[in-house]
């Protein structure tokens, strides 16, 4: 995407990023802060989150709020109590990037481990829903809230071997579409990003034989991540965007 955001695109915006400890989420959190946002980091690993928070405070001063929440075990009550804590710290949320995700087993359906299947659904769908439900009141306090889910090419077209992950990303697209319609008369837009093959730990575990140098880095994707959080996308809702529109899904040859 060719997009030249204003340097203060996200000034005064309060944006929560899940899976902010690594990969695309980490980069999104750092980028949003660079464009002026006050970011709130969510992840499951305290040490990794603290390191991102320190990097942010080194760059911009002030320590961002960060919270550990393991989406694998997160209940609606956990998410409600996080939202309550947040409501004591910030007046509203202008953006939520649901980025955390679990890959599960890349293997044919008949070999998908049922427990791993459930774990993938819990992280990618159920906990993402619990968190969305809990955070909606804060998002609706924004004059232009942006709720962004993270999809995948296999969330639009099923592919052999992608079992639980593909099903969970179809569910993500569905959740986005339902919410977009429910809030279309309000100040909340709801969209999906499909990052496309990106140089991260998740990608390496899905395609261990692939040369990571052939992949875009999280930083390369940031124009779309910025656009969807800033005012330039204000009227877009219910859509699923590709961060790499010209990329063919699958392994990089
Ligand atoms: P990474 O594995 O690099 O990062 C995933 C992030 O999610 C990490 O911060 C990780 O935490 C966090 N996370 C994982 N499980 C949990 C959990 N149970 N509770 C809380 N946080 C958790 O993945 P990517 O950056 O590649 O992926 C980001 C998103 O993009 C995912 O939704 C993925 O499905 C999607 N995507 C990625 C593509 C790619 O090629 N990379 C392609 C298409 C979609 P921790 O640091 O503790 O591991």
């Amino acid at each position: 995407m060719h997009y030249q955001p204003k340097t203060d695109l996200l000034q005064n915006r309060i944006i929560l990023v899940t899976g902010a400890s690594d990969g695309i989420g980490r980069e999104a959190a750092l980028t949003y802060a660079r464009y002026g946002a006050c970011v709130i980091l969510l992840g499951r690993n305290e040490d990794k989150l603290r390191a991102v928070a320190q990097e942010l405070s080194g760059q911009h001063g002030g320590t961002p709020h960060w919270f550990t929440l393991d989406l694998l075990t997160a209940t609606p009550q956990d998410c409600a109590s996080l939202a309550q804590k947040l409501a004591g710290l910030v007046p509203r949320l202008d953006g939520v990037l649901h980025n955390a995700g679990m890959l599960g087993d890349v293997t044919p359906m008949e070999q998908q481990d049922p427990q791993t299947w459930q774990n993938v659904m819990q992280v990618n769908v159920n906990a993402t829903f619990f968190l969305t439900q809990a955070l909606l009141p804060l998002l609706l306090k924004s004059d232009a809230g942006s709720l962004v889910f993270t999809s995948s090419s296999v969330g639009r077209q099923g592919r052999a071997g992608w079992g639980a992950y593909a099903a969970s990303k179809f569910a993500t697209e569905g959740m986005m579409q339902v919410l977009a319609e429910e809030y279309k008369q309000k100040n909340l837009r709801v969209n999906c990003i499909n990052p496309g093959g990106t140089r991260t730990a998740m990608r390496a575990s899905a395609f261990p034989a692939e040369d990571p140098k052939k992949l875009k880095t999280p930083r390369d994707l940031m124009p779309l991540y910025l656009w969807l959080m800033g005012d330039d996308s204000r009227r877009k809702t219910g859509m699923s965007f590709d961060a790499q529109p010209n990329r063919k899904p699958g392994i990089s040859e």
Side-chain angles (χ1 to χ4, degrees), residues 35-177:
Y35 280 83
C38 158
V39 290
I40 300 165
L41 314 173
L42 225 66
R44 61 179 167 181
N45 182 311
E46 197 171 325
D47 292 341
K48 286 170 81 174
L49 273 183
R50 188 178 294 111
V52 178
Q54 278 168 356
E55 200 171 337
L56 278 166
S57 65
Q59 283 172 12
H60 311 284
T63 309
H65 299 300
W66 56 273
F67 299 90
T68 50
L69 179 70
D70 189 341
L71 299 178
L72 190 57
T73 51
T75 62
Q77 292 70 30
D78 295 332
C79 295
S81 109
L82 174 77
Q84 204 177 0
K85 271 187 231 159
L86 280 172
L89 294 168
V90 292
R92 63 179 190 282
L93 285 174
D94 299 298
V96 171
L97 173 63
H98 283 297
N99 159 85
M102 177 176 173
L103 177 65
D105 299 327
V106 182
T107 191
M109 279 291 203
E110 62 174 351
Q111 285 153 25
Q112 290 268 330
D113 171 47
Q115 185 57 56
T116 307
W117 178 286
Q118 288 193 11
N119 292 349
V120 172
M121 291 301 167
Q122 162 64 20
V123 171
N124 295 1
V125 185
N126 300 346
T128 300
F129 160 65
F130 302 154
L131 200 53
T132 302
Q133 202 176 45
L135 297 177
L136 271 169
L138 274 172
L139 269 168
L140 290 168
K141 288 187 177 167
S142 174
D143 61 352
S146 177
L147 177 55
V148 179
F149 291 92
T150 307
S151 183
S152 164
S153 58
V154 294
R156 300 181 191 148
Q157 173 70 53
R159 203 176 327 138
W162 287 80
Y165 183 79
S168 77
K169 295 298 187 181
F170 267 87
T172 302
E173 294 269 355
M175 192 154 46
M176 174 278 284
Q177 289 178 15

Side-chain angles (χ1 to χ4, degrees), residues 1 23-24 27 31-32 99 193-200 215-227 242-245 247:
M1 180 183 198
I24 298 168
E27 187 63 43
T31 304
Y32 291 156
N99 159 85
I193 292 181
N194 163 29
T198 309
R199 200 184 306 168
T200 67
L215 295 166
K216 297 281 188 204
T217 65
R219 183 168 278 220
D220 296 325
L221 316 182
M222 289 302 120
L224 179 62
Y225 280 77
L226 280 165
W227 181 76
D242 287 306
Q244 303 180 57
R247 187 179 187 281

Side-chain angles (χ1 to χ4, degrees), residues 13 93-96 138-148 186-191 228-229 233-234 236-237:
R13 298 265 139 189
L93 285 174
D94 299 298
V96 171
L138 274 172
L139 269 168
L140 290 168
K141 288 187 177 167
S142 174
D143 61 352
S146 177
L147 177 55
V148 179
K186 300 261 169 60
N187 294 331
L188 178 66
R189 59 196 190 280
V190 191
N191 295 287
L228 269 177
M229 280 301 171
S233 63
R234 212 164 167 146
K236 302 287 185 215
T237 195

